[in-house]
């Protein structure tokens, strides 16, 4: 049985798998990403997956960025103990196998192209919308990685040259409008509080806070641990309300608006003002939450139209925690693209939700390894 070793490294989770030529996972394992000694954890994970298994032919690694493919080094934002870490050479020395490295979002795109929603596409753009926004291009079946491996940074394409300053130092970046935290930030700045219809007066202290009613049965926004851009996993859930419980500082905290009561009073606990809550409230019709998604998806649509005009993308696959918002994201995105795109080939681009979810990164890493093995002399 021929197989390759696929490795997916995120800020919250390390994953590894043996994958055959058809994309079937023969063995797999995961473990949390430690704050330090990450290589020791990765070494143990690789041993766990490969012991007594068929010997892999090559190794493919998808890793959170930034990275430098020319040097084979990584400096993941969420992994402070790795700065300029020679990941490719370390894994190659450990396994004795040819080892290839790419960014996590590039692996997402490769995985969706191989086994997911992008199968058969001549020109695919994969986008991960999560804590940040990443992307990857697969053109004529090959990943476009760029000289240092940083191609596909679509989250930092500017959609407004007079726009807000981005954390990257640029201005008007898509990520500033459309990442989960930035949509939630904008909504909060405009009066949104999780679970409370915008404009509802806050209760006087001591009065019971009303439960919002009529919430549609929307799918919860999944925040895959170790997903391509490393959104942290969802916390514990209040069994009564079905909402995440804020456990920071060891216990429930008060909502900023002062309406919620703490657990000692028997009232509902505060929930974080995050993209998961924003998606739920948008689905329930909250006008500010809806406006945040309109604003974010308009930025995404501008970027998609621009990338499509530049490299004639035919298929866009969108994954990441925020994409689990479903029609709350994809509905306004389609409408915005219809308004923004002009040329017929740009208007023809198809947008698809990810079908592999958190498995896309490993699938892409396996694809990288198979590609390297097949093309090596
Ligand atoms: Zn930026």
């Amino acid at each position: 049985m021929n197989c390759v070793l696929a490795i997916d490294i995120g800020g919250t989770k390390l994953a590894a798998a043996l994958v055959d030529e058809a994309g079937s996972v023969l063995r797999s394992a995961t473990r949390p990403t430690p704050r330090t000694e990450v290589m020791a954890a990765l070494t143990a994970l690789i041993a766990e997956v490969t012991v007594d298994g068929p010997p892999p032919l090559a190794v493919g690694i998808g890793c959170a960025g930034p990275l430098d493919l020319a040097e084979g080094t990584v400096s993941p934002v969420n992994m402070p103990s790795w700065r300029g870490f020679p990941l490719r050479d370390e894994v190659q020395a450990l396994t004795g196998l040819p080892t290839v490295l790419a960014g996590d979002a590039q692996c997402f795109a490769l995985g969706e192209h191989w086994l997911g929603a992008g199968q058969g596409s001549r020109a695919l753009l994969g986008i991960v919308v999560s804590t940040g926004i990443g992307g990857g291009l697969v053109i004529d079946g090959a990943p476009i990685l760029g000289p240092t491996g940083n191609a596909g940074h679509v989250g930092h394409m500017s959609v407004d040259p007079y726009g807000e300053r981005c954390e990257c130092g640029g201005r008007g970046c898509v990520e500033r409008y459309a990442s989960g935290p930035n949509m939630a930030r904008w909504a909060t700045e405009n009066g949104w509080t999780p679970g409370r219809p915008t404009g509802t007066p806050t209760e006087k202290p001591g009065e019971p806070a009303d439960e919002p009613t009529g919430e549609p049965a929307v799918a919860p926004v999944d925040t895959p641990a170790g997903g391509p851009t490393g959104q942290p996993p969802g916390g514990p859930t209040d069994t009564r309300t079905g909402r995440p419980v804020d456990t920071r500082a060891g216990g429930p905290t008060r909502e900023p608006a002062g309406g919620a009561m703490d657990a000692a009073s028997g009232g509902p606990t505060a929930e974080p003002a995050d993209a998961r809550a924003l998606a739920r409230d948008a689905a329930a019709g909250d006008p500010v939450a809806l406006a945040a998604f309109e604003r974010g998806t308009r930025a995404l649509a501008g970027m998609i139209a621009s990338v499509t005009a530049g490299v004639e993308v035919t298929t866009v696959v969108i994954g990441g925690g925020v994409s689990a918002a479903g029609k709350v994201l994809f509905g306004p995105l389609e409408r915005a693209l219809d308004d923004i795109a002009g040329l017929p080939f740009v208007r023809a681009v198809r947008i698809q939700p990810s079908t592999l979810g958190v498995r896309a990164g490993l699938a892409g890493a396996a694809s990288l390894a198979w590609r390297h093995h097949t093309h090596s002399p």
Side-chain angles (χ1 to χ4, degrees):
M1 173 67 74
N2 285 338
C3 68
V4 294
L5 173 60
I7 298 171
D8 185 17
I9 298 176
T12 57
K13 193 183 70 174
L14 309 174
L18 294 180
V19 181
D20 71 12
E21 283 167 290
S24 298
V25 173
L26 309 178
R27 312 170 63 129
S28 67
T30 64
R31 58 184 63 199
T33 304
R35 277 201 64 76
T36 59
E37 305 296 329
V38 181
M39 193 61 210
L42 183 60
T43 300
L45 180 69
I46 290 172
E48 180 183 345
V49 169
T50 55
V51 66
D52 298 331
L57 299 167
V59 185
I61 309 172
C63 186
L67 40 74
D68 184 339
L69 288 196
E71 300 291 330
T73 59
V74 300
S75 308
V77 173
N78 294 329
M79 296 165 60
S81 67
W82 276 8
R83 287 293 171 268
F85 183 77
L87 178 62
R88 184 184 58 205
D89 291 351
E90 289 278 335
V91 172
Q92 187 156 317
L94 178 72
T95 60
L97 294 169
T99 300
V100 276
L101 173 68
D104 50 4
Q106 291 163 335
C107 283
F108 167 83
L110 264 177
E112 291 288 346
H113 182 267
W114 186 27
L115 300 169
Q119 288 181 67
S121 171
R122 288 278 308 278
L124 170 78
L125 168 64
I127 306 172
V128 179
V129 186
S130 183
T131 308
I133 295 178
L137 286 159
V138 183
I139 307 293
D140 290 328
I144 305 299
L145 302 179
T148 64
N150 287 298
H153 260 79
V154 295
H156 297 283
M157 289 176 65
S158 180
V159 288
D160 183 355
Y162 301 101
E164 295 176 19
R165 198 52 90 184
C166 176
E167 282 181 39
C168 75
R171 189 181 287 285
C173 295
V174 174
E175 186 170 300
R176 182 69 187 170
Y177 304 90
S179 73
N182 275 309
M183 283 199 291
R185 173 189 56 80
W186 183 88
T188 301
E189 288 171 2
N190 285 274
W192 170 68
T193 301
R196 192 179 307 278
T198 304
T200 301
T202 53
E203 289 77 13
K204 293 172 190 150
E207 280 185 8
D210 286 335
E211 283 297 303
T213 55
E215 280 187 19
V218 293
V221 177
D222 188 20
T223 50
T229 49
Q231 196 163 358
T237 302
D238 184 321
T239 51
R240 189 173 57 83
T241 64
R243 293 183 192 156
V245 175
D246 188 346
T247 54
R248 286 171 299 181
T253 54
R254 287 181 177 274
E255 272 184 292
M261 297 185 298
D262 61 25
S265 310
T269 53
E271 67 171 317
D274 59 13
R276 179 196 299 252
L278 188 71
R280 183 206 56 213
D281 288 358
D286 182 288
V288 175
L290 283 168
F293 272 92
E294 286 283 346
R295 183 173 180 269
T297 53
R298 202 158 178 85
L300 279 174
M303 174 270 282
I304 289 169
S306 297
V307 176
T308 301
V311 293
E312 200 173 348
V313 166
T314 59
T315 310
V316 176
V317 179
I318 301 181
V322 176
S323 72
K327 67 181 181 184
V328 167
L329 180 81
F330 288 91
L333 178 59
E334 293 277 6
R335 290 195 295 276
L337 190 60
D338 184 59
D339 180 52
I340 290 170
L343 292 168
F345 78 91
V346 178
R347 297 186 61 78
V349 69
R350 293 181 307 127
I351 296 179
Q352 311 269 5
S354 161
T355 54
L356 297 182
V358 294
R359 295 175 294 134
L362 269 183
S367 171
L368 264 187
W370 276 120
R371 183 177 303 276
H372 182 78
H373 176 74
T374 306
H375 295 161
S376 295

